[in-house]
Amino acid sequence: MNYSAADAFLSAPAPSYELREREPLLPFVSDKYLSLILTIVIYWTVGVFFHIIDTFDLLPTYRIHPPAEVSSRNKVTVPEVVRDVLVQQIIQTITGILLTYYDPPDYVGMEARDIWVLAHKLPFLSLPIVSFLYYYGFSFMKIFAAFFVLDTWQYFLHRAMHNYKYLYRTFHSRHHRLYVPYAFGALYNHPFEGLLMDTLGAGLAFKLCGLTIRESLLFFSFSTLKTVDDHCGYALPFDPLQIIFQNNAAYHDIHHQQFGIKTNFSQPFFIVWDKWLGTQYKGTRNSRAEVSSEIEKKEK
């Protein structure tokens, strides 16, 4: 919109509007259910992708652990992992349906009026900037806030699971049967822990930050992708998630080892709580050989 058109828009009375329900992204399923379906599709698509890389040893240079460690050090079988992940995803889906059951649908039709009102509240910003904030900027801020809420919830629960023996032995020790994490084992948890830490944590972030259905679709999908990537077992210098986030596969792998199990509690996005509360691992992890050597020393 050029200057004259923007000026005319702002000088005119507030635009009229007529609300209508937003059309779903896909005609055969509502956005609400699409967000639940996508988390499962993303989880298994990315998990199988990394499983293929594991099976054919396509990226040996970037493995955090040698292949032999997966079978020799892990205390759980692949079928057990798949079973427990499916149980958690069933619980996750049911909980998601209950959490959003009474949520009203998204409505559209008053965008022009909203932008008009916002532009008058922020007269120091140009109309294109106000429009960008309305369509994208505020959504990004809300999703970013949801990241922080989820991180906060998971950090303190995760830390409590390690600091209280009953919680660790009863619930969280199951996840740590995977000493050498792999992608589709990301949600291998005790069902109660999975409900409390992952499902309710994400639901709380969704509710507290007031995400719309479309925003929640992005939030849940990205959270799932990030969680799987954090457990993939590869330190990939070309993976954008591992480049952007310090809390990545190498960072979380430390927490799965005996020498780092009382550190690196943050997940899945940022490491601020580890930094602020002094629980970040202080050792060095510069090469696969060094990792293996450190493991052998600690476990003898």
Side-chain angles (χ1 to χ4, degrees):
M1 187 179 292
N2 58 39
Y3 175 78
S4 59
D7 188 55
F9 174 76
L10 294 174
S11 300
S16 59
Y17 64 91
E18 182 178 347
L19 288 179
R20 64 186 185 279
E21 192 171 331
R22 185 191 297 274
E23 293 292 325
L25 286 170
L26 300 177
F28 51 85
V29 62
S30 70
D31 289 347
K32 185 184 298 185
Y33 292 117
L34 179 62
S35 68
L36 300 174
I37 295 168
L38 265 182
T39 58
I40 297 173
V41 171
I42 289 171
Y43 186 93
W44 289 108
T45 300
V46 180
V48 169
F49 172 76
F50 277 109
H51 181 64
I52 292 171
I53 292 175
D54 285 342
T55 302
F56 295 99
D57 201 18
L58 300 179
L59 295 172
T61 304
Y62 305 111
R63 276 186 180 271
I64 298 175
H65 299 276
E69 287 190 16
V70 176
S71 57
S72 66
R73 299 185 65 234
N74 285 343
K75 309 302 181 185
V76 59
T77 65
V78 169
E80 289 174 317
V81 169
V82 172
R83 178 202 63 198
D84 283 12
V85 169
L86 290 175
V87 168
Q88 177 162 336
Q89 289 180 327
I90 291 170
I91 295 172
Q92 173 182 291
T93 301
I94 293 172
T95 306
I97 292 171
L98 293 175
L99 282 174
T100 60
Y101 187 78
Y102 291 106
D103 284 354
D106 285 345
Y107 289 100
V108 295
M110 59 184 303
E111 292 82 3
R113 182 184 178 88
D114 287 344
I115 292 172
W116 185 91
V117 171
L118 187 61
H120 282 82
K121 290 181 178 179
L122 303 172
F124 49 88
L125 296 178
S126 68
L127 190 58
I129 292 177
V130 171
S131 297
F132 178 83
L133 283 174
Y134 178 80
Y135 284 111
Y136 306 106
F138 292 142
S139 289
F140 175 79
M141 293 177 195
K142 288 162 66 178
I143 292 172
F144 187 86
F147 287 172
F148 187 76
V149 171
L150 179 58
D151 270 10
T152 302
W153 176 268
Q154 292 207 351
Y155 174 85
F156 287 101
L157 267 179
H158 190 191
R159 188 172 177 179
M161 289 282 181
H162 282 273
N163 288 341
Y164 295 95
K165 290 182 178 179
Y166 174 79
L167 293 178
Y168 184 81
R169 290 173 179 169
T170 307
F171 304 113
H172 193 56
S173 60
R174 181 179 298 198
H175 184 69
H176 279 274
R177 295 172 73 188
L178 283 177
Y179 286 90
V180 182
Y182 46 78
F184 65 86
L187 292 183
Y188 171 67
N189 296 304
H190 187 285
F192 178 74
E193 180 189 350
L195 171 67
L196 189 63
M197 190 173 301
D198 297 310
T199 305
L200 294 185
L204 180 69
F206 162 62
K207 290 292 188 181
L208 285 182
C209 297
L211 301 184
T212 65
I213 297 299
R214 289 279 174 91
E215 290 164 350
S216 71
L217 192 152
L218 289 173
F219 171 63
F220 294 140
S221 297
F222 189 74
S223 299
T224 300
L225 175 62
K226 182 68 171 59
T227 299
V228 176
D229 192 79
D230 288 349
H231 290 81
C232 72
Y234 292 84
L236 302 173
F238 46 80
D239 182 342
L241 293 180
Q242 298 193 28
I243 294 170
I244 295 170
F245 293 94
Q246 289 179 281
N247 197 343
N248 50 34
Y251 187 89
H252 188 65
D253 180 81
I254 290 170
H255 176 74
H256 276 261
Q257 310 311 315
Q258 290 296 331
F259 60 82
I261 198 169
K262 291 290 188 178
T263 63
N264 290 16
F265 297 117
S266 292
Q267 56 184 38
F269 298 108
F270 312 113
I271 64 172
V272 291
W273 285 112
D274 276 326
K275 285 186 173 181
W276 291 343
L277 298 182
T279 53
Q280 186 177 4
Y281 179 68
K282 300 299 193 298
T284 59
R285 286 276 302 258
N286 298 321
S287 69
R288 189 174 72 183
E290 182 181 350
V291 172
S292 299
S293 175
E294 192 165 3
I295 292 170
E296 289 172 4
K297 290 179 183 176
K298 294 292 183 179
E299 296 191 344
K300 280 183 179 179

